[in-house]
């Protein structure tokens, strides 16, 4: 099988986000970059599928500025065989990223299955899987917790209300992984060493048919959330407490 | 050639030949080990420690009664063996004996031998009393031990009877120098033995004695009694300094493809010598916090199991078929055994023959982590946090300096001209309770007029938890980054409140080019008090039990500075927990276990807290952030938080210093 995984490099979860000087994005100086955690489930699922199907290969793709090659190396260290980097600007939106990934996949001889995370933890847009699958022309199943592999794929999806649904799709298909699909492995040292020597194919935006006009969203003004307020403790009789809570939710938090 | 000479050559030749063959296999097995161990440095110190611990029996005498028993048997065997040698020589060639050393000297020798024979018999009696009546759990049951005791007792009895009958039949000139044998001879004479029958019986017991000795020689190589041969060399080749760092791996060396020990052959020859030296006394088992809280790790069994693994693979090892050697993890040495270790080193310090248990556990962990990515799931989060944010906890490295807000503590970037660098550590930086300790300590430094600075966001985890869990690669990444920073600021002196950071900075960073004078804060506080720069004049009217941190005490021999700091506080009463100093019990957090779940048996921190509570002290003093967390949790779990507080040395001294 020719297995592909699309990953995104994102700021580490503990990063203290600062805005850039004109508030059009975040200040990337000093940020520790990691592979988006949902994408780790995708990589792990791809590696497990390869282990069950002799002769398969896992290729990792990432679209973004030069730095994202580090994330590709991380996936290679986990055990992926090949890497492809499509260079697109830092400011790229979901549409441009999706088009870049689909464009790169189109250059591949045969694609049997594509994995990705259900969303990236930076913008949390959860757009790229569906858009890219559409551009590439294959079905997409999102928020997948588990797959029964066969002639077709039976995917267990998490849906609202804590329920699950089963979706069946033919191959090739695009699977967007949800947390819990598996336990991603920790790269062994021999694999880390090997990953340093693996080739990462470099593509430019133009090579995959991506133009500036593919960026549909331009960000004008970011704002940091207000600093966290200290918690409030409501005292008194249970009935009075409930009343006060409703009042606060209505008048101060304005959520009910 | 007399019949005796003939028989002796035949029997001794056979026995020594067989014994020698068995020893040659043991030596070949030892030499076939692939790991490296350089133990030929510091020869004078090695000779010194060998004299002290082999001839002087120092480590054995850590336990009094049993130590005296052992020393008696040890010295008895040394001296009696001189007599046995003489016996061998004179059997080969009748006129030969050791009388050439002079009349007085020979009488003295014979006298000591006679006394020691009886003392050894008494010591064997005590050993039997202990093994079969008292039955300490750590000794366990051992057929091997039964046989060795029977052997030893029989040897001594044979010697006495042989000498008794010799006196009766030959009346040797030195017979008055053998009080016990002489007494026995008189009893035997009273029983009606005459010179004729005594001569025959002398010969009989002489041969019984020689057969026993030769039998022993054949038996030793396959027995735990191999320690009589291996313990001496093992003492000579031990790691000399108390402050030992973990052995670094050279990742640049491309010839190395195996990191850590996947198979028993991946250890070094010294590890094999450790197995040979083990006499299964169980002192390690008695003090192991994992074993004592029902974890599957038992340091004594670990060594025995590794030895058995090696023996099981003997043929393959000797044939050089390393590929076919089975895994070091087997039905005895399981993953749970390996992960239970807190690296407290109580086993190593208790071991009378200097077996190094922790290195083996580290080596197995290194293989599991780096080669197989096989470890408790929690460790992955720790590794990832350390990789991205240089701390085992999920906090941003940008927040590292936050603990000092409002204290106007300067960073090295702001002012690198300081007396000492304060190494804060991850616990001091991020753990709410330990932030307070660091605040107290920096306040103290200011009260003493010490010019200090911190690295702030430039500080990273020393890498200790990663190293102890087995991720040497991650440790080295962090260590090298820290050394680069420290050397850039030309740091000479460091003080830290964390014994784990202290140990890494002091004993382990030097392998990567980081050479600093490193103090633990308890040492620094004691020094400042000693110099009169800190004057704790306010009384703290409390009973304080000091809990020794493993990485301060056993790993670095720092026992008195923390105690002196407490004793310097007016009206503070220092009490000792029953298990203290070298015998102190771990809080359960070392060896990376701070960050791993404890799912088997009783919690180590609860067991230790119970010991601390026994003192009825109102304050348990800690000198380590991990101990602080573990004992505080223990006190909470025992519902004693309103009666007992856990405080750091720095907080106590700060409270007492106006």
């Amino acid at each position: 099988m020719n297995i592909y995984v699309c990953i995104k490099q994102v700021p580490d979860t503990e990063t203290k986000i600062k805005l850039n000087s004109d508030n059009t994005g975040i200040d990337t100086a000093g940020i520790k970059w990691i592979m988006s955690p949902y994408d780790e489930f995708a990589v792990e699922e791809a590696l497990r599928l390869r282990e069950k199907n002799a002769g398969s290969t896992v290729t990792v793709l990432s679209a973004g500025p030069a730095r994202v090659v580090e994330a590709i190396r991380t996936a290679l260290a986990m055990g992926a065989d090949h890497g492809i980097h499509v260079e697109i600007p830092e400011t790229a939106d979901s549409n441009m990223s999706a088009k870049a990934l689909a464009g790169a996949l189109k250059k591949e001889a045969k694609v049997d299955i594509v994995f990705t995370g259900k969303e990236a933890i930076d913008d949390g847009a959860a757009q790229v899987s569906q858009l890219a699958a559409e551009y590439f022309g294959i079905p997409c199943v999102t928020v997948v917790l588990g797959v029964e592999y066969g002639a077709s794929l039976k995917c267990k999806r998490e849906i609202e209300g804590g329920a699950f649904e089963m979706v069946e799709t033919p191959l090739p298909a695009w699977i967007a992984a949800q947390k819990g699909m598996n336990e991603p492995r920790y790269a062994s040292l021999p694999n880390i060493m090997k990953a340093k020597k693996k080739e990462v194919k470099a593509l430019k935006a133009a090579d995959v048919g991506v133009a500036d006009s593919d960026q549909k969203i331009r960000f004008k003004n970011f704002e940091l959330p207000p600093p966290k307020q200290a918690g409030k403790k409501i005292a008194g009789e249970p009935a009075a407490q409930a009343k006060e809570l409703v009042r606060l939710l209505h008048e101060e938090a304005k959520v009910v | 050639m007399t019949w005796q000479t003939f028989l002796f050559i035949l029997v001794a030749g056979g026995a020594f030949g067989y014994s020698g063959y068995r020893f040659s296999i043991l030596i070949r097995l030892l030499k076939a080990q692939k790991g490296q161990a350089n133990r030929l440095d510091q020869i004078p110190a090695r000779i010194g420690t060998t004299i002290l611990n082999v001839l002087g029996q120092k480590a054995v005498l850590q336990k009094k009664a049993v130590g005296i028993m052992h020393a008696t048997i040890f010295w008895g065997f040394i001296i009696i063996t001189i007599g046995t040698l003489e016996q061998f020589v004179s059997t080969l060639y009748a006129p030969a004996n050791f009388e050439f050393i002079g009349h007085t000297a020979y009488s003295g020798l014979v006298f000591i031998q006679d006394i020691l024979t009886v003392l050894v018999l008494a010591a064997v009696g005590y050993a039997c009393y202990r093994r079969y009546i008292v039955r300490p759990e750590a000794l366990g049951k051992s057929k091997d031990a039964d046989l060795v005791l029977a052997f030893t007792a029989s040897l001594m009895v044979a010697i006495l009877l042989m000498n008794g009958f010799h006196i009766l039949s030959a009346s040797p000139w030195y017979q008055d120098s053998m009080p016990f044998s002489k007494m026995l001879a008189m009893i035997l004479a009273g029983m009606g033995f005459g010179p004729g029958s005594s001569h025959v019986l002398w010969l009989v017991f002489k041969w019984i004695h020689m057969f026993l000795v030769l039998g022993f020689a054949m038996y030793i190589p396959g027995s735990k009694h191999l320690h009589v041969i291996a313990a001496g060399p093992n003492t000579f080749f031990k790691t000399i300094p108390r402050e030992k760092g973990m052995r670094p791996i050279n990742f640049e060396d491309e010839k190395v493809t195996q990191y850590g020990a996947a198979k028993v052959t991946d250890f070094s020859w010294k590890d094999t010598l450790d197995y040979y030296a083990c006499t299964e006394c169980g002192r390690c088992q008695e003090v192991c916090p994992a074993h004592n809280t029902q974890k599957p790790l038992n340091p004594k069994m670990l060594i025995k199991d590794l030895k058995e693994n090696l023996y099981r693979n003997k043929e393959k090892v000797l044939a050089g078929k390393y590929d076919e050697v089975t895994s070091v993890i087997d039905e005895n040495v399981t993953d749970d055994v390996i992960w239970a270790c807190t690296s407290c080193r109580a086993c190593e310090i208790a071991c009378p023959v200097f077996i190094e248990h922790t290195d083996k556990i580290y080596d197995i962990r290194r293989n599991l982590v780096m080669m197989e990515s096989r470890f408790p799931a929690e460790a992955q989060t720790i590794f990832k946090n350390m990789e991205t944010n240089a701390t085992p906890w999920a906090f941003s490295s940008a927040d590292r300096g936050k603990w000092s807000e409002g204290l106007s503590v300067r960073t090295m970037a702001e002012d690198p001209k300081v007396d000492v660098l304060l190494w804060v550590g991850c616990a001091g930086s991020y753990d709410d309770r330990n932030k307070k300790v660091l605040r107290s300590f920096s306040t103290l430094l200011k009260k003493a007029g010490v010019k200090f600075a911190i690295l702030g966001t430039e500080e990273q985890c020393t890498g200790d938890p990663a190293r102890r869990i087995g991720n040497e690669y991650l440790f080295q990444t962090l260590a090298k980054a820290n050394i680069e920073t420290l050397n850039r600021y030309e740091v000479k002196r460091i003080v830290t409140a964390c014994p784990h950071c202290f140990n890494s900075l002091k004993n382990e960073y030097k392998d990567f080019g980081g050479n600093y004078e490193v103090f633990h804060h308890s040492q620094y506080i004691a020094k400042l008090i000693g110099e009169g720069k800190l004057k704790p004049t306010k009384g703290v009217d409390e009973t304080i039990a000091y809990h020794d941190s493993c990485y301060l005490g056993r790993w670095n021999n720092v026992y008195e500075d923390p105690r002196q700091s407490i004793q310097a506080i007016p009206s503070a009463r220092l009490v000792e927990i029953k298990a203290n100093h070298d015998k102190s019990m771990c809080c359960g957090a070392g060896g990376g276990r701070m960050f791993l779940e404890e799912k088997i048996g009783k919690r180590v921190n609860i067991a230790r807290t119970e010991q601390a509570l026994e003192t009825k002290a109102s304050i348990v003093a800690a000198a380590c952030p991990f101990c602080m967390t573990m004992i505080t949790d223990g006190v909470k779990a025992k519902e004693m938080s309103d009666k007992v507080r856990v405080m750091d040395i720095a907080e106590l001294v700060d409270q007492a210093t106006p």
Side-chain angles (χ1 to χ4, degrees), chain B residues 550-583:
Chain B
C550 307
Y551 275 78
L552 208 52
R554 274 185 293 267
W555 287 94
N556 285 290
N557 218 359
V558 178
Y559 286 119
E560 300 319 314
D561 295 310
R563 287 176 168 81
Q564 279 166 16
S565 305
I566 296 170
Q567 282 166 327
I569 301 170
S571 67
R573 296 172 301 279
L574 177 68
V575 292
E576 291 293 348
I577 305 173
K578 209 166 158 197
N580 58 65
H581 289 77
D582 272 354
K583 295 269 180 274

Side-chain angles (χ1 to χ4, degrees), chain B residues 160-161 164-165 168 181 183-194 198:
Chain B
L160 287 172
L161 285 167
F165 284 117
L168 273 187
S181 300
M183 209 179 348
L184 184 65
M186 279 151 69
I187 294 168
L188 292 171
M191 287 163 72
F193 290 101
S198 294

Side-chain angles (χ1 to χ4, degrees), chain A residues 48-247:
Chain A
R48 291 186 187 189
L49 184 60
R50 181 189 66 188
E51 282 156 14
K52 280 185 278 186
N53 293 276
S56 302
T57 56
V58 172
T59 306
V60 180
L61 291 88
S62 188
R67 59 171 164 78
V68 308
V69 175
E70 289 165 36
I72 296 175
R73 293 269 174 228
T74 306
L76 292 173
M78 284 174 76
D81 303 289
H82 312 290
I84 300 174
H85 169 224
V86 189
E87 189 162 4
I88 55 171
E90 187 76 57
T91 52
D93 64 357
S94 299
N95 187 63
M96 185 186 261
S97 300
K99 236 182 160 179
L101 294 168
L105 285 171
K106 281 180 189 161
K107 294 174 88 80
E108 296 295 295
K110 186 168 176 282
V111 175
D112 293 309
I113 189 166
V114 184
F115 291 101
T116 192
K118 74 165 175 101
E119 65 178 282
I121 60 153
D122 51 355
D123 57 16
Q127 295 287 306
V128 172
S129 305
Q130 300 91 317
L131 286 169
E134 184 64 26
Y135 285 130
F136 189 55
I138 60 173
C140 177
V141 187
T142 56
V143 203
V144 175
L145 276 167
V147 180
E148 264 180 59
Y149 298 96
S152 65
L153 302 180
K154 288 186 185 130
C155 308
K156 184 183 179 186
R157 287 191 77 225
E158 196 174 73
I159 55 171
E160 288 74 12
F164 304 106
E165 69 175 9
M166 296 298 290
V167 175
E168 193 169 358
T169 172
L171 282 164
W174 193 298
I175 306 294
Q178 164 68 314
K179 180 180 182 176
M181 193 179 198
N182 50 46
E183 287 289 332
R185 69 195 61 192
Y186 186 73
S188 74
L189 193 52
N191 280 347
I192 294 173
M193 303 289 193
K194 270 186 242 160
K196 288 181 184 167
K197 292 178 187 148
K198 284 180 188 165
E199 196 207 333
V200 176
K201 193 160 87 180
L203 297 172
K204 297 280 173 207
D207 299 336
V208 294
V210 170
D212 282 350
S213 59
D214 287 316
Q215 184 169 342
K216 303 296 182 193
I217 302 171
R218 296 195 193 268
F219 298 99
K220 285 196 173 151
N221 190 33
F222 273 89
E223 275 174 38
L224 290 174
K228 205 175 154 190
Q229 304 285 318
K232 259 185 201 158
K233 197 174 175 184
I234 306 171
E237 291 296 309
Q241 281 184 34
K243 212 170 170 190
E244 175 64 3
L245 177 65
V246 172
R247 190 192 68 79

Side-chain angles (χ1 to χ4, degrees), chain A residues 12 14 16 32 34 40 184-190 192-193 196, chain B residues 251 259 370 373 375 380 383-384 387-389 394 396 399 471 473:
Chain A
D12 176 64
E14 304 307 328
K16 294 282 166 260
K32 308 270 189 201
I34 60 166
E40 289 188 20
R185 69 195 61 192
Y186 186 73
S188 74
L189 193 52
I192 294 173
M193 303 289 193
K196 288 181 184 167
Chain B
F251 292 109
Y259 304 115
M370 290 190 288
S373 299
F375 43 75
Q380 186 150 339
F383 293 158
K384 294 226 158 169
E387 282 165 9
T388 43
N389 284 311
S396 168
D399 289 345
N471 199 336
Y473 187 71

